[in-house]
Amino acid sequence: MPRTRTPVVAGWFEGDGDGFRLLGTRCASCASVFFPREDHYCRNPACASGELEEIRLSRRGRVWSFTDSRYRPPSPYVSDPELPWQPYVLIAVELAAERIVVLGQAAPGVTVADLAVGMEAEVVPGVLHEDAATTWTTWHWRPAGVRA
Amino acid sequence: MDDVALAAGGGAGVTAEVAVLGAGMHPWGKWGRSFVEYGVVAARAALADAGLQWRDIGSVIGAGTVRGGYPGYIAGATFARALGWQGSRVASVYAACASGAQAVDAARAQILSGQADAVLVVGADAAPKGFFRPAGGDRPDDPDWLRFRVLGATNPVYFGLYARRRMAVYGDTTDDFAQVKVKNAAMGALNPRARYRSPVTAEEVAASAVVADPLRLLDICATSDGGAAVVLASMEFARRHGHPEPVRIRAVSTVTPRFPNTVLDLPDIATDSAVAVDPPGGTFRMSIAGAAYEEAGIGPEDLSLAEVYDLSTALEVQWYEDLGLCGAGEGVRLLRDGATALGGRVPVNVSGGLASFGEAVPAQAIAQVCELTWQLRGEAGGRQVAGARVGISANQGLFGHGSAVIAVR
Ligand SMILES: [Zn+2]
């Protein structure tokens, strides 16, 4: 039986391939942007609006910083304790249009040696982990010019 | 109501002072016992240091840890019960890494408002092994749970991001960061309450395993067991009990960030967006120190020493700039010049810092105040800062918590 594809968090991203985007919200009153999404209140202290609309965030941004996780993170991160730990890279990407920095895992195969602060990166669909019934999907950052 | 009159006379635009009559700690380590035991040892040490009996204390404020459901089994009352119920006021405070400083702030407010003459502030923790992790259960509405679930973003991941950013923007190197560890380990070796008491070389830092690139194991603070306590009192109470010239707390800053916060702070997955509102003039950490300076009516140039939250070596360098000891990007130069070492212009973390202690969350901000107290009294032995008159402590923790305390003598 094929696994069901389920986002690790509902409403944070949508689409496939080149159409994949992070989803945020924008305040209808002051235009502040939120990711992760705020749906019930605007966090601008000068704005009392409760009206927020869903928006798709920019596909590309610039690497603000990066690091990696050389040791197995604790639960609720899901990993198979039977398998040796495989480090992965995390990238914080600054989106110019939204003036926001968003953290994410790098696409599989990316290493810190591939990266530099200021480099362009784009958001791509990714898989966080799989269990018997479900493929848990997420977003990944892929640096421009790196095809792992 | 002498205390209230004194409070009102505290000086133009400056909050009135409270006295630090006693400071005490349970040594940091990995002892494997209950946090209550560490807190009681620290509390009794602080009472003895103050020359007071437990029954002299009118209020107990506990800094909470979160273990097994209840925050610290309701910390204030747990410590009061262990010391023996005696009908004092009681309160508990939880504010992540700033818990201890918020407990100090609550104690100060009680003293200045006349609710209590002498307050015991206690924080203690029995830390789990390895990475800090969120409490159990599925909590998809909890940012702390989400960063682990979605990204596996441990605390060192954030420290690695900050360190790499400094390297790219300011040209700091991993060798520079290692020198923070070398400096703090040398201080910790002189502190009998520190957990790690061996000098560390730059070669040893460089040979330790990478945890979160570019940071290695010896760049990142451990998690520890420990307990710390202070006895705070009104200046009038201090005089009546034989403390004519006590160390005084002149400022406690516990401000929140300002929107939009454009630094990726723990445990967030993204910064605030600055698209609609321009960012404030300085970062959250700068505002923590700034509020303390303003309240105390002093500036960074007045400091004799600072105790800062060196969760990582690179973060200590960041604090130099956030405290205003130097300009943005100049922290490493200050370090290289020896200005922040013992004997330098403004020694930082002469206690040995988190590098030598490891973090015992609710106790740590209180331990910082303990070190300031001993330094300002001239009782710090081999790590004494000569002629110390003004000290600041500073920390930042999860969920927009941070604090700074300024003590003077
Ligand atoms: Zn708004």
Side-chain angles (χ1 to χ4, degrees):
Chain A
M1 198 178 77
R3 296 185 177 97
T4 311
R5 291 180 71 85
T6 305
V8 63
V9 185
W12 281 20
F13 47 85
E14 68 169 17
D16 298 305
D18 289 350
F20 181 85
R21 294 289 185 282
L22 292 169
L23 296 176
T25 55
R26 181 168 53 210
C27 175
S29 177
C30 76
S32 284
V33 169
F34 299 99
F35 180 88
R37 59 192 301 146
E38 296 289 0
D39 285 292
H40 305 292
Y41 43 81
C42 174
R43 292 195 286 103
N44 173 359
C47 178
S49 171
E51 208 182 314
L52 294 111
E53 60 200 6
E54 185 174 280
I55 57 165
R56 288 159 60 85
L57 300 188
S58 299
R59 181 181 178 190
R60 293 196 178 85
R62 301 224 166 250
V63 173
W64 183 84
S65 191
F66 58 90
T67 185
D68 60 7
S69 195
R70 300 284 180 101
Y71 291 85
R72 190 188 302 275
S75 165
Y77 191 74
V78 178
S79 66
D80 185 346
E82 302 292 314
L83 297 176
W85 174 244
Q86 293 292 333
Y88 63 89
V89 167
L90 293 111
I91 311 180
V93 174
E94 187 163 20
L95 305 179
E98 292 85 0
R99 296 186 71 185
I100 193 172
V101 174
V102 179
L103 186 58
Q105 293 187 349
V110 174
T111 71
V112 290
D114 299 323
L115 293 167
V117 168
M119 179 182 274
E120 190 174 84
E122 67 178 356
V123 72
V124 295
V127 171
L128 184 60
H129 67 100
E130 294 179 319
D131 52 37
T134 308
T135 296
W136 296 94
T137 61
T138 188
W139 73 96
H140 283 154
W141 291 117
R142 186 168 61 200
V146 179
R147 295 278 157 183
Chain B
M1 298 304 284
D2 289 352
D3 299 337
V4 177
L6 195 78
V14 174
T15 307
E17 297 169 341
V18 298
V20 185
L21 296 194
M25 288 169 62
H26 183 291
W28 263 227
K30 213 72 167 181
W31 311 109
R33 301 197 301 273
S34 161
F35 79 94
V36 185
E37 195 176 324
Y38 311 141
V40 168
V41 167
R44 290 194 169 140
L47 288 165
D49 188 46
L52 294 174
Q53 302 297 315
W54 164 227
R55 65 176 175 274
D56 297 326
I57 296 297
S59 176
V60 180
I61 302 188
T65 180
V66 176
R67 301 284 176 263
Y70 291 110
Y73 319 127
I74 316 304
T78 294
F79 296 131
R81 180 175 182 268
L83 292 162
W85 297 126
Q86 48 100 325
S88 65
R89 279 178 185 272
V90 66
S92 296
V93 168
Y94 183 75
C97 297
S99 298
Q102 284 202 8
V104 166
D105 196 35
R108 180 177 72 145
Q110 289 188 348
I111 292 164
L112 294 181
S113 69
Q115 289 184 342
D117 282 336
V119 183
L120 175 66
V121 177
V122 192
D125 204 5
K129 190 173 161 48
F131 293 119
F132 279 132
R133 66 181 71 190
D138 279 3
R139 292 191 314 285
D141 56 350
D142 173 358
D144 195 42
W145 186 87
L146 281 168
R147 57 130 171 177
F148 281 97
R149 173 72 182 99
V150 178
L151 300 174
T154 59
N155 293 2
V157 157
Y158 290 79
F159 308 154
L161 291 169
Y162 306 149
R164 174 60 63 185
R165 178 77 186 168
R166 285 196 62 89
M167 292 168 73
V169 175
Y170 298 130
D172 295 3
T173 68
T174 52
D175 289 346
D176 293 326
F177 300 150
Q179 288 304 321
V180 174
K181 178 68 174 188
V182 171
K183 171 182 76 70
N184 289 353
M187 293 295 96
L190 302 173
N191 190 342
R193 297 174 183 90
R195 173 178 175 188
Y196 301 105
R197 300 203 53 210
S198 303
V200 172
T201 65
E203 292 71 30
E204 286 170 317
V205 178
S208 66
V210 174
V211 174
D213 177 272
L215 296 178
R216 296 174 179 274
L217 191 62
L218 292 182
D219 285 301
I220 294 170
C221 92
T223 61
S224 291
D225 295 0
V230 290
V231 176
L232 304 183
S234 68
M235 294 302 292
E236 200 277 330
F237 183 97
R239 274 188 289 275
R240 262 194 288 131
H241 287 81
H243 297 270
E245 282 183 72
V247 170
R248 288 120 52 206
I249 289 179
R250 184 170 278 182
V252 184
S253 160
T254 58
V255 295
T256 73
R258 284 170 293 167
F259 182 88
N261 184 359
T262 56
V263 176
L264 185 67
D265 278 336
L266 289 126
D268 295 334
I269 287 173
T271 63
D272 291 338
S273 159
V275 73
V277 180
D278 281 330
T283 63
F284 176 40
R285 269 191 302 273
M286 292 165 75
S287 73
I288 293 167
Y293 289 137
E294 189 178 338
E295 186 172 295
I298 67 158
E301 65 282 0
D302 298 312
L303 296 176
S304 311
L305 76 154
E307 287 285 306
V308 306
Y309 235 54
D310 55 322
L311 293 164
S312 78
T313 50
L315 263 173
E316 176 170 314
V317 175
Q318 183 68 46
W319 274 114
Y320 299 167
E321 300 166 17
D322 297 335
L323 290 183
L325 306 182
C326 60
E330 296 172 353
V332 158
R333 201 172 74 200
L334 209 64
L335 176 74
R336 288 183 188 152
D337 289 349
T340 59
L342 192 62
R345 174 164 68 79
V346 52
V348 176
N349 282 336
V350 283
S351 68
L354 294 175
S356 303
F357 276 77
E359 190 185 18
V361 178
Q364 211 68 46
I366 301 170
Q368 290 181 316
V369 175
C370 290
E371 179 68 13
L372 294 184
T373 301
W374 292 319
Q375 288 286 346
L376 295 172
R377 287 179 182 165
E379 295 175 354
R383 60 183 199 284
Q384 178 65 47
V385 175
R389 306 298 294 179
V390 182
I392 191 170
S393 69
N395 76 44
Q396 185 193 3
L398 271 65
F399 307 109
H401 289 112
S403 67
V405 176
I406 291 176
V408 300
R409 185 145 187 251

